[in-house]
């Protein structure tokens, strides 16, 4: 019944402290894999979310933490449109209130930083009335 109501795991009494500890470690491993996905790499983009490292065509693009989070959100699923609200959630996980137009300013700065590495950069596209899409050649 515990699993049917949304639980991930359960233990019946009596249980050993060792079994409880092992189950907690296993749950934490699964949660860490979900929260910290492995490096993303497709075409000219290499994105390592654990190291906060982004390479475009082999050259590091120096981004702030907020810019990095927005970029990671856009390129985790290339081609998928993201709303400004989705980008705010990705950039500000602590639920800080920011105006949706703030995302536009961040995107402008992100594009400029990519353009210093690649003057032909055009992989972040505006989706009118919605937000932005990350595309890879």
């Amino acid at each position: 019944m515990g699993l049917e109501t949304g639980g991930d795991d359960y233990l019946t009494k009596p249980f050993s402290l060792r079994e409880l500890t092992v189950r907690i470690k296993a749950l934490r491993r699964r949660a860490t894999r979900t929260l910290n996905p492995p490096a993303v790499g497709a075409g000219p983009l290499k994105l390592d979310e654990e190291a906060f490292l982004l390479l475009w065509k082999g050259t590091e693009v120096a981004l702030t933490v907020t810019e990095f989070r927005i970029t990671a959100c856009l390129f985790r699923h290339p081609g998928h449109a993201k709303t400004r609200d989705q980008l705010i959630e990705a950039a500000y996980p602590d639920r800080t209130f920011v105006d949706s137009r703030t995302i536009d300013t961040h995107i402008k700065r992100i594009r400029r930083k990519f353009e210093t590495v690649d003057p032909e950069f055009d992989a972040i596209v505006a989706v009118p009335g919605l937000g932005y899409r990350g595309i890879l050649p």
Side-chain angles (χ1 to χ4, degrees):
M1 201 165 126
L3 294 174
E4 288 175 353
T5 59
D8 288 331
D9 200 356
Y10 72 96
L11 270 158
T12 57
K13 291 182 184 178
F15 58 87
S16 71
L17 189 55
R18 178 173 164 75
E19 183 177 2
L20 175 64
T21 305
V22 170
R23 286 178 181 264
I24 290 171
K25 286 180 182 178
L27 285 170
R28 291 187 70 189
R29 264 194 318 273
R30 279 184 274 169
T32 301
R33 277 196 305 261
T34 302
L35 294 174
N36 299 318
V40 175
L45 178 74
K46 302 290 184 246
L47 183 72
D48 185 340
E49 295 188 53
E50 289 182 2
F52 274 80
L53 178 68
L54 187 142
L55 301 175
W56 181 260
K57 295 185 177 178
T59 305
E60 183 177 355
V61 179
L63 300 172
T64 66
V65 171
T66 302
E67 293 167 346
F68 184 89
R69 288 177 177 157
I70 290 169
T71 306
C73 182
L74 286 170
F75 289 106
R76 223 175 267 124
H77 301 286
H80 293 196
K82 298 293 180 183
T83 66
R84 285 179 179 84
D85 287 339
Q86 288 173 316
L87 295 172
I88 287 170
E89 287 178 29
Y92 300 97
D94 57 351
R95 304 274 189 233
T96 302
F97 175 78
V98 293
D99 184 63
S100 64
R101 302 299 292 179
T102 302
I103 293 299
D104 299 335
T105 303
H106 285 300
I107 294 291
K108 181 179 171 183
R109 290 181 183 150
I110 292 166
R111 284 178 174 154
R112 261 196 234 136
K113 289 180 179 184
F114 273 94
E115 287 167 356
T116 61
V117 172
D118 178 9
E120 303 295 317
F121 178 80
D122 62 353
I124 297 177
V125 179
V127 179
L130 183 71
Y132 295 91
R133 175 183 300 123
I135 57 171
L136 294 173

